[in-house]
Amino acid sequence: MKALVLSGGAGTRLRPITHTSAKQLVPVANKPVLFYGLESLAAAGVTEVGMIVGDTAAEIEEAVGDGSKFGLDVTYIPQERPLGLAHAVLIARDFLGDDDFVMYLGDNFIVGGISGLVDEFRETRPDAQILLTHVPNPRAFGVAELDADGQVVGLEEKPQEPKSDLALVGVYLFTPAIHDAVRAISPSWRGELEITHAIQHLIDRRADVRSTVIKGYWKDTGNVVDMLEVNRTVLEAQEPRIDGEVDEASEIVGRVVVEAGARVTDSRIVGPAVIGAGTVVADSYVGPFTSIAENCRITESELEFSIVLRDSSIDGVGRIESSLIGRHVEVTPAAGTPSAHRLVLGDHSKVQIRS
């Protein structure tokens, strides 16, 4: 069984972070979200991976390499522009051959992995198996309609009037039957070849399409709110570890990881939290559900429920929370008088200011 991992896409909902970084490489608990998916595939016994890449191909390839550090053999498949999930299957035909495969969206996160689902598919081999979960906002997803017996009878992509609250999770399992389906469909109103249309094609021809409603934790990490929530979930499961330096004037409470080369002085850190290698936290408070990446500097500041990417500094700031701070960022207090905010913001930025 092979895997097709989608790592293209513009990541518009995570701008401005994704103006300069692939959305799949934005870290949660100081590890790129893509890596969690690759580890799940390896744990499920899948070793041959085709990686769909777009404009951020160079960055993805630098991070993942040949896949050997995950126990995988990775082949890169370029996609000129994001033309839909079914298009990804179409261009990966030579790589996939006549093998069964799992398609995994690289910015999705599933607690507990997919080993059980892959094992079930290997045993039963339906033409397609989809994962579903109940969501409060089905209009934002592909939505499945089930009959009284739980059989999939219809799929719609981002419907205005959803027929259920069951959204498709970004993991799909297919036999080679899907290849005829992706060739048979036409682009949607969005100009994309939708995987929901391809699966509907299978359903209309009475193929064996099954669904599994997952009750565990799943998130599409395509926006800041969900990214912070996934970060919280991962941190809650971590084991405390102090490999860096913590002076006697500091207090460490709960599940805190201080990586080798990090230094904590005159500070209080309340877990779950992680302090990356080479980072300095001085005269500061770091609260729960916070990930600070490598080579950052946090001085005389308060930070909670946030993600700080590498090589950034926060100096003399009273309180930051529920924030995603990019790489090489400097956060400092404004001058006391006159009372004003001084901002340098990239395209699509969002700022909340209490006057």
Side-chain angles (χ1 to χ4, degrees):
M1 191 171 187
K2 293 178 179 176
L4 187 64
V5 176
L6 276 61
S7 298
T12 55
R13 292 177 295 161
L14 275 174
R15 287 175 177 169
I17 299 293
T18 49
H19 278 309
T20 55
S21 179
K23 65 177 179 178
Q24 298 85 3
L25 296 181
V26 176
V28 291
N30 284 6
K31 182 164 67 175
V33 67
L34 173 63
F35 289 10
Y36 293 97
L38 296 177
E39 291 168 355
S40 292
L41 290 169
V46 179
T47 57
E48 293 184 71
V49 175
M51 186 89 70
I52 301 291
V53 291
D55 292 342
T56 58
E59 189 179 7
I60 295 289
E61 291 185 32
E62 182 181 0
V64 176
D66 62 2
S68 57
K69 63 184 176 183
F70 304 99
L72 303 172
D73 181 7
V74 173
T75 298
Y76 293 96
I77 304 169
Q79 186 181 36
E80 291 184 6
R81 62 183 189 276
L83 294 173
L85 305 188
H87 181 261
V89 176
L90 195 65
I91 65 174
R93 183 68 175 93
D94 289 344
F95 167 79
L96 295 169
D98 292 325
D99 292 310
D100 296 347
F101 67 98
V102 52
M103 183 167 72
Y104 198 114
L105 274 59
D107 59 354
N108 275 228
F109 182 88
I110 300 177
V111 169
I114 59 171
S115 296
L117 297 163
V118 170
D119 290 342
E120 178 186 348
F121 182 80
R122 283 184 171 127
E123 292 176 6
T124 58
R125 289 200 75 236
D127 294 303
Q129 185 163 347
I130 59 176
L131 274 62
L132 305 174
T133 190
H134 294 281
V135 296
N137 56 333
R139 291 180 180 176
F141 300 93
V143 174
E145 180 185 3
L146 308 183
D147 64 16
D149 297 323
Q151 293 295 312
V152 184
V153 295
L155 298 173
E156 293 182 279
E157 186 64 33
K158 297 179 173 62
Q160 288 300 308
E161 300 295 334
K163 295 179 180 178
S164 80
D165 66 346
L166 288 169
L168 278 77
V169 173
V171 178
Y172 308 79
L173 299 110
F174 296 117
T175 66
I178 193 63
H179 295 301
D180 288 337
V182 298
R183 287 195 298 268
I185 62 174
S186 300
S188 68
W189 62 270
R190 302 193 303 165
E192 298 186 2
L193 290 175
E194 311 285 3
I195 198 66
T196 47
H197 291 178
I199 300 171
Q200 184 67 53
H201 180 85
L202 293 175
I203 295 170
D204 293 342
R205 280 147 186 78
R206 301 187 181 280
D208 186 5
V209 177
R210 303 183 189 180
S211 67
T212 300
V213 179
I214 63 171
K215 302 186 185 303
Y217 183 88
W218 164 79
K219 280 289 184 184
D220 168 5
T221 61
N223 61 59
V224 173
V225 172
D226 287 341
M227 185 69 70
L228 292 173
E229 181 64 17
V230 171
N231 187 65
R232 179 192 65 78
T233 300
V234 175
L235 289 177
E236 283 184 331
Q238 78 176 0
E239 294 297 323
R241 176 168 48 86
I242 307 296
D243 293 334
E245 300 178 24
V246 178
D247 72 0
E248 294 183 356
S250 297
E251 182 181 12
I252 306 294
V253 180
R255 294 187 299 280
V256 174
V257 171
V258 180
E259 298 286 3
R263 289 190 296 115
V264 179
T265 60
D266 292 305
S267 298
R268 186 169 192 260
I269 301 178
V270 179
V274 57
I275 311 299
T279 285
V280 174
V281 179
D283 302 299
S284 296
Y285 166 76
V286 176
F289 313 122
T290 300
S291 295
I292 303 173
E294 64 272 20
N295 300 320
C296 293
R297 187 171 185 87
I298 314 297
T299 54
E300 297 182 354
S301 300
E302 297 184 10
L303 186 64
E304 187 168 307
F305 191 56
S306 295
I307 297 173
V308 182
L309 276 57
R310 62 179 174 84
D311 300 305
S312 291
S313 65
I314 301 172
D315 182 16
V317 179
R319 181 78 172 184
I320 294 174
E321 61 182 30
S322 304
S323 299
L324 174 58
I325 297 172
R327 299 174 296 182
H328 300 280
V329 170
E330 296 181 6
V331 183
T332 57
T337 55
S339 180
H341 302 286
R342 182 180 182 183
L343 307 173
V344 178
L345 303 174
D347 297 345
H348 304 282
S349 294
K350 293 184 179 180
V351 175
Q352 292 179 323
I353 296 174
R354 183 184 296 274
S355 298

